[in-house]
């Protein structure tokens, strides 16, 4: 009889444990479905406008490194050997609302053919950039140019005016007219007023949490972390249909699940943007020094940088993703 009682208790314990595991699994599945649907429903927060302008920068470069910032938020950086021939990058997510916008161009001496670095700009160094406005759903060649900058040359030559100098920076403005308003970093805390050592620890912790999500291929965690950012991107680029949200979420979740190595977080520095309201950890090693984020991954065929900019919302003391 004793054995029967023990066996019965064992079976009841196993049954209870199985039911508990099933309940936990069911709860997790429900949570995954909820966050999945939440991402698929982002389009419902996007208004449809009569006029939906798309702003882009178009630029070319030779014999110099460069960094482009819009409203003091980094857009693109390249420092190595090579030339850029008329690249275009959309910038709506850098424009929070209508009005005057700031554009910053920083140029750096070039890498040479022997992979060494010139200490100064050379005569062939040059850079040109335009800001273009078009309809978001219009043809690529139907646009209006609203801003242009190109490096100056020495009189009577095609040689860069800053030849022999070590640094070059240009700041300019252009006016954008957009139908949306984004909160973005507009009311974010000024991180430059915080203790730098403590802020660095917080930033490292936030970056490592993000890395762990990528390592575990935690799609639900990734969605939760990036939700606010994705809502703003959808508003900025007028992704107002269910197909838009589905394509975006399929792309994001597919990237998280992709087989890749998430490289360790090392050799980095903390950089503040947007008047101290936005933070990034950026690589300092030579190989990755033109990356905007210290998080990068490798597949069998390529090395990929993962954009990750942080801020603290007004009223919050937690670093969260903004771009």
């Amino acid at each position: 009889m004793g054995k029967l009682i023990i066996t019965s208790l064992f079976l009841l314990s196993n049954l209870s444990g199985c039911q508990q595991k099933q309940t936990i699994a069911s709860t997790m599945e429900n949570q995954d479905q909820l966050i999945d649907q939440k991402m698929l429903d982002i389009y419902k927060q996007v208004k449809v406008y009569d006029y939906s302008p798309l702003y882009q920068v178009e630029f070319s470069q030779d014999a110099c490194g460069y960094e482009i910032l819009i409203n003091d938020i980094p857009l693109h950086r390249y420092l190595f050997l090579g030339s850029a021939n008329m690249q275009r990058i959309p910038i709506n997510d850098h424009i929070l609302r209508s009005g005057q916008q700031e554009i910053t161009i920083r140029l750096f001496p070039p890498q040479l053919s022997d992979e060494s670095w010139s200490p100064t700009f050379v005569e062939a160094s040059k850079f040109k950039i335009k800001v273009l406005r078009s309809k978001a759903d219009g043809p690529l060649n139907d646009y209006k140019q609203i801003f242009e900058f190109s490096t100056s040359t020495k009189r009577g030559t095609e040689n860069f005016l800053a030849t022999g100098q070590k640094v070059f920076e240009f700041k300019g403005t252009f006016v954008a007219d957009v139908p949306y308003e984004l909160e973005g970093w507009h009311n974010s805390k000024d991180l430059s007023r915080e203790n730098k050592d403590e802020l660095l620890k917080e930033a490292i912790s936030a970056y490592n949490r993000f890395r762990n999500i990528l390592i575990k291929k935690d799609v639900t965690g990734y969605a939760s972390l990036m939700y606010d950012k994705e809502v703003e991107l959808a508003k900025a680029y007028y992704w107002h249909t269910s197909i838009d949200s589905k394509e975006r979420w399929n792309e994001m979740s597919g990237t998280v699940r992709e087989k890749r190595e998430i490289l360790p977080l090392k050799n980095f520095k903390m950089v503040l943007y947007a008047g101290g309201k936005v933070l990034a950890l950026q690589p300092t090693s030579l190989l990755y020094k033109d990356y905007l984020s210290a998080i990068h991954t490798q597949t069998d065929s390529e090395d990929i940088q993962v954009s990750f900019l942080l801020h603290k919302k007004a009223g919050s003391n937690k670093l969260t993703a903004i771009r």
Side-chain angles (χ1 to χ4, degrees):
M1 180 64 73
K3 288 184 178 178
L4 287 174
I5 292 173
I6 292 171
T7 303
S8 298
L9 289 174
F10 179 74
L11 289 172
L12 286 170
S13 176
N14 270 0
L15 180 59
S16 175
C18 288
Q19 288 175 337
Q20 192 175 32
K21 288 179 181 178
Q22 288 173 353
T23 300
I24 293 172
S26 178
T27 300
M28 292 178 64
E29 184 177 351
N30 288 337
Q31 289 176 343
D32 289 348
Q33 290 175 350
L34 286 173
I35 193 67
D36 191 65
Q37 192 59 51
K38 191 176 180 181
M39 299 301 289
L40 293 174
D41 286 343
I42 283 178
Y43 77 95
K44 295 179 180 179
Q45 300 185 52
V46 182
K47 295 180 179 179
V48 179
Y49 306 100
D50 293 332
Y51 176 56
S52 302
L54 176 67
Y55 290 85
Q56 301 178 85
V57 293
E58 179 183 87
F59 59 95
S60 60
Q61 153 273 349
D62 195 15
C64 64
Y66 61 89
E67 181 177 38
I68 305 168
L69 301 96
I70 305 295
N71 292 321
D72 200 30
I73 298 292
L75 178 72
H76 187 58
R77 179 191 297 148
Y78 187 78
L79 303 176
F80 292 95
L81 182 66
S83 301
N85 186 23
M86 290 304 176
Q87 296 188 48
R88 278 192 193 180
I89 301 177
I91 60 172
N92 278 41
D93 57 312
H94 284 55
I95 298 173
L96 300 184
R97 57 202 63 199
S98 295
Q100 185 169 284
Q101 318 294 322
E102 183 179 78
I103 182 169
T104 303
I105 308 300
R106 294 177 183 146
L107 302 183
F108 308 94
Q111 185 182 36
L112 305 176
S113 57
D114 62 0
E115 297 188 354
S116 66
W117 297 84
S118 172
T120 62
F121 292 107
V122 298
E123 292 180 344
S125 299
K126 59 183 177 181
F127 188 89
K128 183 175 183 178
I129 190 168
K130 302 175 182 177
V131 177
L132 311 176
R133 184 184 67 221
S134 61
K135 293 181 180 180
D137 56 355
L140 292 175
N141 60 351
D142 185 11
Y143 61 82
K144 181 178 180 180
Q145 179 180 311
I146 62 171
F147 172 88
E148 181 177 9
F149 165 78
S150 58
T151 47
S152 301
T153 57
K154 294 180 179 179
R155 181 178 296 181
T157 74
E158 295 184 356
N159 301 336
F160 184 31
L161 187 61
T163 299
Q165 297 181 20
K166 296 181 178 181
V167 294
F168 179 91
E169 180 174 292
F170 167 83
K171 289 183 180 289
T173 60
F174 63 94
V175 175
D177 181 17
V178 293
Y180 59 80
E181 282 196 8
L182 306 179
E183 177 64 22
W185 54 90
H186 186 67
N187 293 310
S188 301
K189 286 188 173 182
D190 184 353
L191 302 176
S192 66
R193 297 181 179 182
E194 300 197 3
N195 180 282
K196 290 184 179 180
D197 292 335
E198 291 300 317
L199 184 61
L200 178 59
K201 290 179 183 178
E202 292 177 46
I204 292 172
S205 179
Y207 266 67
N208 278 325
R209 283 197 301 272
F210 184 39
R211 283 188 65 253
N212 287 334
I213 284 173
L214 296 176
I215 290 169
K216 295 176 181 178
K217 303 190 184 303
D218 180 2
V219 173
T220 299
Y222 186 89
S224 297
L225 189 66
M226 295 297 182
Y227 180 75
D228 290 344
K229 167 187 172 180
E230 286 302 309
V231 169
E232 291 215 329
L233 289 179
K235 291 179 178 179
Y237 291 108
Y238 319 109
W239 298 335
H240 65 274
T241 70
S242 58
I243 294 176
D244 289 331
S245 287
K246 184 176 181 180
E247 288 180 348
R248 177 67 178 175
W249 180 227
N250 284 344
E251 177 186 0
M252 290 174 62
S253 57
T255 299
V256 175
R257 293 187 181 102
E258 183 182 3
K259 184 179 180 181
R260 61 171 72 184
E261 179 185 2
I262 313 300
L263 299 180
L265 189 65
K266 62 179 182 179
N267 300 325
F268 56 84
K269 61 182 178 180
M270 183 172 67
V271 183
L272 297 182
Y273 293 103
K277 294 181 177 182
V278 174
L279 178 153
L281 297 182
Q282 295 179 346
T284 55
S285 62
L286 178 61
L287 185 60
Y288 301 111
K289 73 175 188 175
D290 62 345
Y291 278 20
L292 296 172
S293 169
I295 295 179
H296 46 109
T297 70
Q298 286 181 338
T299 65
D300 292 339
S301 58
E302 59 183 341
D303 193 288
I304 306 162
Q305 64 169 311
V306 182
S307 177
F308 195 56
L309 301 179
L310 301 170
H311 76 140
K312 289 184 179 180
K313 297 179 182 179
S316 172
N317 201 37
K318 182 180 179 181
L319 285 171
T320 56
I322 186 168
R323 289 292 182 270

